[in-house]
């Protein structure tokens, strides 16, 4: 195996050098790399990632279902590296940036070589795949998506080998890479499953031309192994989402189609991002197509024409046509088909924007253009033809390498430029990190990418919360924090600090395009329930709400935002975002436990000893739902009546567990996922050991002879 790879050391070495030079900002410094939705956390937060997966997230807003729970494996890896005191920006590079830069072209190279059997063809395929504008734009902020795409060629390579050679080891390797794809971006795994299905059908009809039932069953068995194993490996999150009863009814699946206005068929056929300029991209501005991109589909078509004898070329041609047809979404021709698929095919409604189908086009064109280059060199038998082949190869390579220019120069911005944390944020984060009690910070108009957050120190964006949990409070168009009941609402919501961030234009972190910063400051200065404090910052302004309430507390009356209800602190312990332990003493009358997380009916209270498995099997395990309600702050309240929960009616002392019930499904699925993973690794170890023993035996036999 190592000797086979060594034969490719030159083209792979060149690809690696090119990628390192293009992504020099990722390799030659340890500055934070961040842009748009791609945030970089601080060490304290990353340390929290070293834990079991949680179906509830509590580090932003008022908490909510964690639809990103599928990301847990790479989050856990980041947490483990943080526990080893590895630099947080090195962790970012190890988990995302360096694998994208290095593995994406290498994996595409080996897939192409397996299909085309030409080093030159595979080299060009790798360049086409890495430097088409679609993948370049993904590198600018959609790294989980791109990491999944990075591992797609190597999955497809071993899937094809599995069906060709019918070896279990190849199926398990494909399963491993499929799992990596799934935990970086499950939607890409969904597309990969369809890719595997289409290839299985193609292999059945064209490659093997199977005619008997026994062969069909054998092929079906090997093609199903990677998909089934990846699903088993993902049960930790699939069962969790199922337990919350939102497997298909959630924000990912319940959004209308988007993006038809900027989709142009000519650009889709050229794998050209709609806003590509070759430099800085202006958000949502459609740019005209540059002439050189018309060469891309022509080269792909030529690859199809000259390589028909290769049985896999028609499949990749079909894949490209399918990708183009789906990416054009509901534009002409046949504009209604995408909507039909969106409405009726399970899982398809996760693709409200069709750009992700360009992965099919990228794979297809990489193989087809590589096939054309491979054919040219196969035909080049004299100096004249060699010159032509060399010219076309260099022209093709430059066509895609030129797309890398704005990455090298930094013109493209996004994740291709260095960032520096303003000192004011370091002061704020140091101030916050030294505090141990639970509270939230409220950012006006929204939080910065440099904001500090923990599971016990949630950040709230004024803009986001007004469009989400507090939407009903701002129906009249006025900000929540100036309402008459704002003082009590902030107290109940455990908001301790209100923070106005910087106009940080250098880091694309400016939130005042729609309003002047001084206007926000003047508005907040008038709020009597907040006190401005000085922690040593020069520009960031911080206000303290001294009357904020604990995360969990007692009241004798129902909590409300319209008057100040006296409260009592209680003894509770945070276990994780889904579980809290509460001790109540000397309870003689009915009281209310108030819990400042977003109301969800699956928050339950267990009286006495707690066992997570019984939460699944025992329907009467928790306090009845009629004692749990949503208060008018939109948070959780529980009625605790000593006559119901205590055997001794006076001086009631009880231990309670506040628990998000779907977490039990996460634990159950996690056990199955872990056993599956151990089984796969165990089989790998067995096969490696078996190979070592075989080699040792052959050497011993040879020496005796």
């Amino acid at each position: 195996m190592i000797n086979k790879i060594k034969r490719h050391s030159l083209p792979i070495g060149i690809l690696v050098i090119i990628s390192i030079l293009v992504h020099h900002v990722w390799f030659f410094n340890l500055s934070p790399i961040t842009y748009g939705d791609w945030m970089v956390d601080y060490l304290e937060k990353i340390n929290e990632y070293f834990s079991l997966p949680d179906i509830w997230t509590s580090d932003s807003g008022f908490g909510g279902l964690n639809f990103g729970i599928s990301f847990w494996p790479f989050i856990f890896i980041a947490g483990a590296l943080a526990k080893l005191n590895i630099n947080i920006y090195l962790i970012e590079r190890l988990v995302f940036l360096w694998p994208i830069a290095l593995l994406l072209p290498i994996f595409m190279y080996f897939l192409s070589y397996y299909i085309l059997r030409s080093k030159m063809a595979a080299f060009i395929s790798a360049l086409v795949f890495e430097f088409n504008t679609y993948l370049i734009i993904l590198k600018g902020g959609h790294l989980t998506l791109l990491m999944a795409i990075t591992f797609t060629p190597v999955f497809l390579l071993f899937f094809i080998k599995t069906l060709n050679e019918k070896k279990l080891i190849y199926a398990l390797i494909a399963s491993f890479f499929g799992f990596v794809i799934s935990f970086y971006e499950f939607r890409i795994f969904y597309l990969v499953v369809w890719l595997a299905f289409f290839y299985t059908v193609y292999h059945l009809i064209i490659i093997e031309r199977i005619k008997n039932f026994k062969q069909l069953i054998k092929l079906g068995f090997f093609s199903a192994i990677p998909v089934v194993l990846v699903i088993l490996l993902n049960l930790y999150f699939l069962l969790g989402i199922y337990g919350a009863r939102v497997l298909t009814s959630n924000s990912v699946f319940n959004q209308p189609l988007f993006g038809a206005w900027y989709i142009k068929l000519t650009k889709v056929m050229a794998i050209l991002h709609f806003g590509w300029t070759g430099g800085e991209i202006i958000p949502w501005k459609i740019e005209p197509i540059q002439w050189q991109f018309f060469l891309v589909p022509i080269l792909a078509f030529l690859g199809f024409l000259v390589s028909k004898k290769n049985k896999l070329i028609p499949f990749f041609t079909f894949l490209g046509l399918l990708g183009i047809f789906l990416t054009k979404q509901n534009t002409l021709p046949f504009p209604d088909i995408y909507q039909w698929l969106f409405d009726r095919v399970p899982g398809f409604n996760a693709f409200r924007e069709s750009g992700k189908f360009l992965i099919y086009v990228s794979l297809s064109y990489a193989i087809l253009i590589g096939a054309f280059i491979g054919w040219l060199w196969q035909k080049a038998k004299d100096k004249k033809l060699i010159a032509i082949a060399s010219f076309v190869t260099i022209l093709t390579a430059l066509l895609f390498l030129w797309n890398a220019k704005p990455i090298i120069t930094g013109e493209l911005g996004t994740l291709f430029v260095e960032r520096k944390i303003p000192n004011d944020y370091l002061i704020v984060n140091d101030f916050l990190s030294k505090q141990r009690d639970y509270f939230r910070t409220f950012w006006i108009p929204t939080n910065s990418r440099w904001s500090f957050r923990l599971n016990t120190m949630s950040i709230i964006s004024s803009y986001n919360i007004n469009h989400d949990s507090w939407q009903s409070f701002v129906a009249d168009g006025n900000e929540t924090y100036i309402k008459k009941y704002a003082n009590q609402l902030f107290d109940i919501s455990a908001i301790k600090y209100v923070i106005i961030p910087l106009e940080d234009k250098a880091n694309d972190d400016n939130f005042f395009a729609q309003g002047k910063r001084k206007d926000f400051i003047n508005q907040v200065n008038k709020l009597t329930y907040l006190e401005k404090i000085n922690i040593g910052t020069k520009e960031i302004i911080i206000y303290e709400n001294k009357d904020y309430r604990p995360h969990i507390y007692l009241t004798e009356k129902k909590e409300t935002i319209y008057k100040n209800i006296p409260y009592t602190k209680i003894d509770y312990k945070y276990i994780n975002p889904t579980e809290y332990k509460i001790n109540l003493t000397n309870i003689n009358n009915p009281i209310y436990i108030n819990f400042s997380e977003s109301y969800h009916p699956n928050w339950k209270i267990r009286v006495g000893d707690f066992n997570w498995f019984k939460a699944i099997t025992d329907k009467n395990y928790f306090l009845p739902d009629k004692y749990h309600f949503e208060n008018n702050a939109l948070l959780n309240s529980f009625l605790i009546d000593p006559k119901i929960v205590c055997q001794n009616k006076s001086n009631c002392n009880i231990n309670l567990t506040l628990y998000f019930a779907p977490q039990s499904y996460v634990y159950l699925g996690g056990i199955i996922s872990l056993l599956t993973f151990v089984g796969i690794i165990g089989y790998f170890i067995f096969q490696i050991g078996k190979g070592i023993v075989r080699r040792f035996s052959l050497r011993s036999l040879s020496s005796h002879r």
Side-chain angles (χ1 to χ4, degrees):
M1 183 68 177
I2 294 175
N3 289 332
K4 289 181 180 179
I5 295 176
K6 281 183 178 180
R7 295 204 305 265
H8 301 278
S9 58
L10 179 60
I12 288 176
I14 295 173
L15 286 171
V16 167
I17 291 171
I18 290 173
S19 200
I20 289 174
L21 293 177
V22 168
H23 304 94
H24 59 92
V25 172
W26 295 359
F27 284 92
F28 299 121
N29 69 79
L30 284 180
S31 66
I33 301 296
T34 175
Y35 174 78
D37 293 335
W38 184 256
M39 306 292 188
V40 180
D41 285 309
Y42 297 94
L43 182 63
E44 293 87 348
K45 178 59 187 175
I46 299 178
N47 274 316
E48 288 188 334
Y49 294 153
F50 189 67
S51 64
L52 295 176
D54 299 307
I55 192 60
W56 185 269
T57 180
S58 61
D59 58 12
S60 62
F62 295 105
L65 285 169
N66 181 15
F67 293 111
I69 188 174
S70 59
F71 296 152
W72 176 76
F74 76 72
I75 287 174
F76 180 81
I77 291 170
L81 294 174
K83 290 292 184 182
L84 296 173
N85 291 319
I86 294 177
N87 181 285
I88 56 175
Y89 306 125
L90 179 57
I91 293 173
E92 181 186 21
R93 285 157 172 77
L94 291 172
V95 179
F96 281 98
L97 302 180
W98 291 351
I100 287 171
L102 301 178
L103 297 182
L104 188 146
I106 291 174
F107 287 162
M108 188 66 234
Y109 174 91
F110 280 114
L111 172 64
S112 180
Y113 183 81
Y114 182 77
I115 294 169
L116 303 176
R117 297 300 174 183
S118 165
K119 294 179 183 179
M120 185 63 74
F123 180 82
I124 294 298
S125 292
L127 293 182
V128 172
F129 194 64
E130 181 175 17
F131 294 117
N132 68 72
T133 64
Y134 168 59
L135 264 64
I136 287 175
I137 294 301
L138 289 184
K139 289 178 184 178
H142 306 278
L143 296 190
T144 56
L145 196 68
L146 193 57
M147 277 296 293
I149 293 173
T150 294
F151 285 87
T152 298
V154 72
F155 169 86
L156 186 56
L157 168 61
F158 281 99
F159 188 81
I160 293 172
K161 288 174 71 72
T162 297
L163 298 194
N164 284 343
E165 303 183 35
K166 308 296 189 300
K167 290 184 178 180
L168 182 59
I169 188 68
Y170 290 148
L172 294 182
I173 294 173
S175 302
F176 174 79
F177 288 118
F179 178 49
V180 175
I181 293 169
S182 71
F183 68 65
Y184 273 110
E185 177 53 76
F186 202 80
R187 287 174 297 178
I188 295 298
F189 176 69
Y190 177 88
L191 298 184
V192 167
V193 169
W194 279 109
L195 176 60
F197 170 76
F198 290 134
Y199 179 76
T200 300
V201 173
Y202 183 84
H203 188 93
L204 169 70
I205 298 172
I206 304 299
I207 304 296
E208 288 198 32
R209 298 182 181 180
I210 291 175
K211 296 180 180 179
N212 63 68
F213 187 70
K214 185 177 180 180
Q215 287 179 303
L216 179 63
I217 292 297
K218 188 175 183 179
L219 181 70
F221 171 75
F222 278 98
S223 64
I225 288 174
V227 177
V228 172
L229 287 180
V230 172
I231 290 174
L232 290 174
L233 288 167
N234 279 284
L235 280 183
Y236 70 93
F237 98 84
L238 290 174
L239 283 185
I241 298 296
Y242 166 79
R245 301 296 187 265
V246 289
L247 190 57
T248 56
S249 58
N250 58 67
S251 58
V252 176
F253 295 98
N254 294 330
Q255 300 183 65
L257 291 181
F258 170 79
W261 62 273
Y262 61 69
I263 294 173
K264 305 295 180 184
L265 185 58
T266 51
K267 290 193 173 185
V268 172
M269 293 175 66
I271 335 178
L272 179 62
H273 185 268
F274 70 89
W276 184 260
T277 64
E280 182 182 4
I281 291 179
I282 300 173
W284 306 115
K285 182 181 178 183
I286 300 175
E287 297 288 341
I289 186 170
Q290 297 98 325
W291 68 267
Q292 69 268 25
F293 288 102
F294 288 108
L295 296 175
V296 175
I298 293 173
L299 289 169
F301 181 66
L302 289 174
F304 165 70
L305 287 181
V306 302
S307 303
K308 291 179 181 178
K309 292 182 180 180
N310 186 322
K311 289 186 177 181
L312 288 177
I313 292 299
F315 172 75
F316 282 94
T317 304
F318 158 77
L319 187 65
L321 293 173
L322 176 65
I324 291 169
F325 183 79
L326 293 175
T327 305
K328 77 170 187 60
Q329 207 185 91
N330 53 357
T331 59
L332 293 171
F334 308 109
D336 299 326
I337 292 180
Y338 195 95
Q339 184 70 58
W340 186 90
L341 294 170
F342 189 81
D343 294 336
R344 290 172 175 80
V345 176
F348 201 92
N349 54 348
F351 302 92
R352 64 185 292 254
E353 192 275 330
S354 59
K356 295 173 184 63
F357 291 102
L358 280 171
I359 184 179
Y360 290 166
V361 186
S362 298
L363 283 167
S364 169
Y365 280 20
I367 295 298
L368 294 178
I369 294 174
F372 176 61
I373 298 301
W375 176 83
L376 279 177
W377 283 96
Q378 187 180 23
K379 296 296 181 180
K381 296 179 181 178
D382 56 45
K383 292 183 178 179
K384 186 175 181 180
L385 290 176
I386 289 175
I388 294 173
S390 299
F391 174 77
V392 175
T393 301
I394 293 171
L395 181 67
T396 303
L398 290 176
L399 178 63
F400 288 92
L401 283 173
W402 185 250
N403 295 337
K405 179 185 78 72
I407 301 177
I408 299 170
T409 62
E411 295 172 76
L412 198 55
T414 63
L415 297 181
F416 304 119
V417 293
E418 297 180 46
R419 307 290 182 182
K420 184 178 180 181
I421 306 175
N423 191 59
D424 265 14
Y425 286 110
L426 297 177
I427 294 172
V428 171
N429 298 341
D430 182 64
F431 171 73
L432 295 176
S433 64
K434 291 178 180 177
Q435 303 184 51
R436 294 291 174 261
D437 53 330
Y438 181 93
F439 60 84
R440 295 186 171 96
T441 58
F442 189 89
W443 296 72
I444 299 174
T446 189
N447 57 287
S448 163
R449 67 180 64 260
W450 311 116
S451 300
F452 185 83
R453 64 189 177 116
L454 294 172
N455 289 335
T456 56
M457 198 179 296
S458 174
I459 54 174
I460 297 178
S461 157
S462 175
Y463 176 84
N464 291 338
I465 208 72
N466 286 340
H467 287 78
D468 187 19
S469 302
W470 285 359
Q471 193 170 13
S472 61
F473 295 150
V474 295
D476 59 2
N478 293 318
E479 293 286 352
T480 312
Y481 51 82
I482 65 173
K483 304 286 186 180
K484 291 182 179 180
Y485 51 77
N487 186 357
Q488 186 63 21
L489 177 61
F490 273 49
D491 292 346
I492 294 172
S493 302
I495 296 172
K496 184 177 183 180
Y497 297 109
V498 173
I499 306 175
I500 299 180
L502 301 176
E503 288 185 272
D504 185 9
K505 296 178 182 178
N507 289 301
D508 296 304
D509 201 45
N510 176 31
F511 315 108
F512 302 98
Q514 303 302 321
K516 294 182 179 179
R517 186 171 184 265
K518 66 179 182 180
D519 292 337
F520 287 101
I521 295 171
N522 291 336
Q523 193 176 46
V524 178
N525 280 339
K526 297 175 184 178
L527 303 177
T528 58
Y529 64 91
L530 298 177
E531 179 182 331
K532 189 175 180 180
I533 61 174
N534 182 8
I535 64 169
T537 56
K538 293 181 178 180
E539 295 184 65
I540 291 178
I541 299 176
I542 301 184
Y543 304 84
E544 184 174 5
N545 173 30
K546 293 186 176 181
D547 297 326
Y548 78 99
R549 299 194 172 187
H551 197 30
I552 304 174
Y553 60 94
L554 298 182
T555 56
E556 294 182 359
K557 297 180 180 180
K558 283 187 177 182
E559 186 62 282
T560 176
I561 63 175
Y562 298 113
K563 62 179 180 179
N564 187 10
I565 304 294
Y567 74 96
T568 304
K569 293 183 178 181
I570 58 174
D571 180 25
Y572 76 90
K573 181 181 180 182
Y574 167 87
I575 305 299
N576 59 52
T578 66
E579 184 178 348
Y580 298 79
K581 299 295 184 183
I582 302 173
N583 296 315
L584 297 181
T585 58
N586 298 323
I587 303 299
N588 298 313
N589 299 305
I591 49 91
Y592 294 92
I593 292 180
N594 300 284
F595 175 49
S596 62
E597 293 281 305
S598 294
Y599 172 80
H600 196 288
N602 280 318
W603 277 110
K604 309 286 186 180
I605 283 186
R606 165 65 182 174
V607 180
D609 295 335
F610 174 75
N611 181 288
W612 67 264
F613 188 70
K614 289 184 178 180
I616 298 175
T617 59
D618 188 347
K619 293 182 179 180
N620 300 313
Y621 194 64
F622 296 105
L623 195 69
D625 289 343
K626 65 181 180 180
Y627 298 112
H628 176 208
F629 62 91
E630 182 180 26
N631 59 43
N632 59 16
L634 310 180
L635 308 173
N636 297 274
S637 290
F638 298 86
L639 174 62
I640 304 296
D641 189 341
K643 294 180 181 179
I644 297 172
V645 301
C646 289
Q647 294 180 350
N648 297 321
K649 306 305 179 185
S650 61
N651 296 322
C652 174
N653 299 319
I654 50 175
N655 296 321
L656 307 176
T657 300
L658 178 58
Y659 185 65
F660 192 64
Q663 183 66 20
S664 290
Y665 289 91
V666 176
Y667 293 147
L668 178 61
I671 292 172
I672 300 172
S673 297
L674 179 61
L675 291 175
T676 304
F677 185 78
V678 170
I680 293 173
I681 297 301
Y683 184 82
F684 284 153
I685 294 172
F686 171 75
Q687 289 296 322
I688 292 171
K690 188 177 176 181
I692 292 173
V693 170
R694 186 186 297 117
R695 289 179 186 177
F696 181 77
S697 299
L698 289 173
R699 288 178 182 176
S700 298
L701 182 61
S702 177
S703 62
H704 284 302
R705 288 179 179 176

